[in-house]
């Protein structure tokens, strides 16, 4: 069965009188999901840094590339599989870490539901440090699906070690260290609404369930103590000097998230990183930085096959996935599409968004004559003059 067969399921359902329950168009999905979210979450989920030019650039960058159709080599079957750190995945998709997904579902257990989406689709979840349920519960909900743990490195080294060790014990298969979020970016939408979920005690379950953090707060802390203790330890500015220490915390693969410069990619691998994650946090952290997609080719060249390259930022469609792969990404992580799917339609809504992305990517490769991911090289794309 090919991923593209999802459309057959949908057409057959329609013949039986059942039309699809979930949107296909991203703009429609976003509008309906934001309407379903409580007001205090809308700006946080949808907004970006500054005037959001970088956030818009991330999306627009994909339109500057065109996939060149190749005829007379129509592949009856496509192979979208990829191997990452010893696990073979049927498709190159990942669920990106999103720190407020836990509070994007009415029951406030969105992290568990994201893991259930991973279990249902086989698409690995990268769980955020900022969860609404402890990382162990989220890992259990993912079942046999792949799962990675994203670390916002705290200032307290014992707390960092505890979080990583818990993730390793719970079955997470890699540690993703986010480098660009040791201080909040300038987000006018959130500033105007006074919205910062963590300052309201949201998405802190990995801290309140951690023995080191509990020692920091003392027994039976009030909510204010929990929040201010979190404020006091969140956001260690990771430097090159920290990498040996971080490497010493685990034998799991370490993936560095936020790498956009080729020199940083080379040095990261030289100093012990196992994977490179090219991303600008979806434009949420720093404005004026251009589209992450524009930095991807040079990062891929610098890595030179030494490690896998993960990409996110601005991915909205299956066509976007194919283009990022053609530019050299080994895996493509999606953020808002599955979060909006969860917010609007729960686990079925997010599963639909994942399957729709897989189906569109598969069918584009079929129609345009690219049987495998190995066939998607830079020569499959043409840059369109602006």
């Amino acid at each position: 069965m090919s991923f593209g067969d999802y459309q057959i399921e949908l057409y057959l359902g329609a013949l039986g009188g059942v039309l699809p329950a979930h949107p296909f168009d991203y703009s429609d999905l976003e509008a309906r999901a934001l309407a379903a979210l409580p007001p205090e979450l809308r700006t946080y989920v949808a907004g970006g840094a500054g005037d959001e030019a970088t956030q818009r650039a991330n999306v627009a960058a994909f339109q500057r590339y065109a996939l060149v159709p190749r005829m007379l080599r129509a592949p009856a079957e496509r192979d979208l599989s990829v191997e990452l750190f010893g696990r073979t995945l049927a498709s190159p998709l990942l669920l990106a870490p999103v720190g407020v997904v836990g509070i994007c579902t009415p029951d406030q257990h969105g992290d568990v539901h994201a893991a259930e989406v991973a279990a249902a689709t086989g698409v690995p979840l990268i769980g955020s440090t900022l969860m609404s349920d402890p990382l162990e519960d989220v890992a259990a909900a993912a079942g046999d699906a792949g799962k990675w743990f994203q670390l916002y490195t705290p200032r307290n080294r014992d707390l960092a070690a505890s979080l990583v060790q818990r993730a390793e014990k719970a079955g997470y298969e890699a540690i993703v260290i986010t480098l660009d979020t040791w201080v909040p970016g300038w987000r006018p939408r959130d500033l105007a609404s006074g919205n910062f979920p963590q300052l309201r005690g949201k998405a802190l379950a990995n801290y309140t369930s951690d023995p080191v953090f509990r020692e920091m707060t003392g027994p039976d802390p009030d909510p204010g103590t929990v929040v201010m203790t979190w404020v006091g330890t969140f956001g260690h500015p990771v430097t090159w000097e920290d990498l040996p220490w971080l490497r010493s915390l685990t034998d799991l693969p370490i993936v560095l998230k936020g790498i956009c410069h080729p020199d940083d990619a080379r040095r990261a691998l030289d100093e012990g990183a196992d994977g490179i994650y090219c991303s600008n946090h979806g434009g949420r952290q720093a404005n004026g930085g251009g589209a992450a997609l524009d930095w991807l080719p040079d990062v891929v060249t610098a890595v030179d096959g030494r490690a896998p390259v993960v990409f996110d930022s601005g991915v909205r469609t299956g066509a976007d996935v194919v283009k990022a792969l053609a530019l050299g990404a080994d895996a493509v992580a999606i953020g808002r599409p599955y979060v909006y799917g969860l917010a609007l339609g729960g686990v079925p809504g997010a599963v639909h968004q994942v399957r729709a992305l897989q189906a569109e990517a598969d069918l584009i490769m079929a129609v345009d004559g690219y049987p495998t991911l190995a066939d998607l090289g830079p020569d499959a794309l043409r840059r369109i003059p602006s």
Side-chain angles (χ1 to χ4, degrees):
M1 177 176 176
S2 299
F3 290 114
D5 291 342
Y6 183 43
Q7 69 173 345
I8 298 174
E9 291 181 37
L10 296 170
Y11 284 129
L12 290 177
L15 288 176
V18 180
L19 290 176
H22 310 288
F24 294 89
D25 177 74
Y26 179 80
S27 296
D28 183 31
L29 168 68
E30 181 178 48
R32 291 169 59 182
L34 290 176
L37 286 170
E40 65 271 15
L41 268 179
R42 292 172 192 161
T43 59
Y44 196 88
V45 175
D51 68 0
E52 301 180 354
T54 294
Q55 183 168 287
R56 293 190 298 273
N58 280 334
V59 176
F62 288 95
Q63 303 308 311
R64 295 198 294 270
Y65 291 93
L67 187 68
V68 182
R70 300 299 305 274
M71 295 297 105
L72 298 173
R73 57 182 194 181
E77 296 181 2
R78 279 77 58 201
D79 181 4
L80 275 67
S81 66
V82 60
E83 184 173 316
L84 291 176
F85 304 128
R87 178 187 280 266
T88 300
L89 306 176
S91 82
L93 287 188
L94 303 171
L95 303 181
V98 178
V100 294
V101 68
I103 54 178
C104 286
T105 58
D107 64 1
Q108 305 285 285
H109 293 292
D111 294 291
V112 168
H113 298 319
E116 292 169 346
V117 174
T121 61
V123 172
L125 170 69
I126 308 175
S128 173
T129 302
L130 297 171
M131 289 179 178
S132 295
D133 286 288
L135 61 90
E136 291 84 358
D137 295 352
V138 174
D144 294 331
K147 43 197 170 282
W148 300 0
F149 181 71
Q150 174 267 332
L151 179 70
Y152 285 126
T153 307
R155 298 173 193 172
N156 185 303
R157 286 195 167 197
D158 290 337
L159 178 58
S162 181
L163 290 168
V164 170
Q165 288 160 12
R166 287 173 59 195
E168 188 167 357
K169 185 176 180 181
Y172 291 85
E173 298 167 10
I175 303 297
V176 177
I177 298 172
T178 294
L179 304 173
D180 61 2
T181 314
W182 55 273
V183 64
W186 182 257
R187 300 172 188 166
R189 286 207 225 186
D190 291 334
L191 290 165
S193 62
N195 186 40
F196 197 137
Q198 290 75 34
L199 295 184
R200 301 176 187 272
K202 303 292 187 181
L204 299 181
N206 281 331
Y207 297 90
T208 57
S209 62
D210 193 274
V212 174
F213 189 81
R214 290 200 299 266
E215 288 179 7
M216 296 166 65
T217 60
D220 301 317
D222 59 74
T225 297
V226 170
V227 169
M228 294 313 296
T229 303
W230 175 79
V231 169
T233 193
F234 183 85
H236 172 68
V238 177
T239 67
W240 295 111
E241 287 70 30
D242 291 307
L243 289 189
W245 160 63
L246 289 165
R247 176 70 279 173
S248 75
L249 297 181
T250 181
D251 292 328
L252 292 176
I254 287 180
V255 180
L256 297 184
K257 181 175 183 288
I259 299 289
C260 291
H261 194 288
D263 290 348
D264 293 343
R266 291 187 194 93
R267 183 171 177 181
L269 296 181
D270 290 343
E271 301 205 14
D274 302 289
I276 299 298
Y277 194 143
C278 181
S279 164
N280 63 14
H281 218 100
R284 287 184 51 74
Q285 273 298 91
N287 198 33
L293 192 72
D294 288 336
W295 315 138
L296 176 61
D298 285 346
V299 168
V300 169
T301 298
V303 170
D304 194 26
R306 296 167 59 192
V309 176
V310 178
F311 174 82
D312 77 19
S313 298
V315 178
R316 302 289 183 261
T317 67
D320 294 344
V321 172
V322 173
K323 291 175 185 180
L325 294 168
L327 288 173
D330 295 290
V332 178
I334 58 169
R336 287 185 177 93
Y338 89 86
V339 174
Y340 285 149
L342 273 177
L344 181 62
V347 172
V351 168
H352 165 74
Q353 296 303 324
V354 172
R355 294 192 68 191
L357 286 166
Q358 290 172 320
E360 185 184 13
D362 179 37
L363 292 169
I364 287 171
M365 291 174 64
V367 171
D368 283 350
Y370 295 93
T372 71
L373 298 185
D375 296 307
L376 283 173
D379 60 342
L381 296 178
R382 296 293 182 273
R383 190 167 177 117
I384 302 171
S386 56

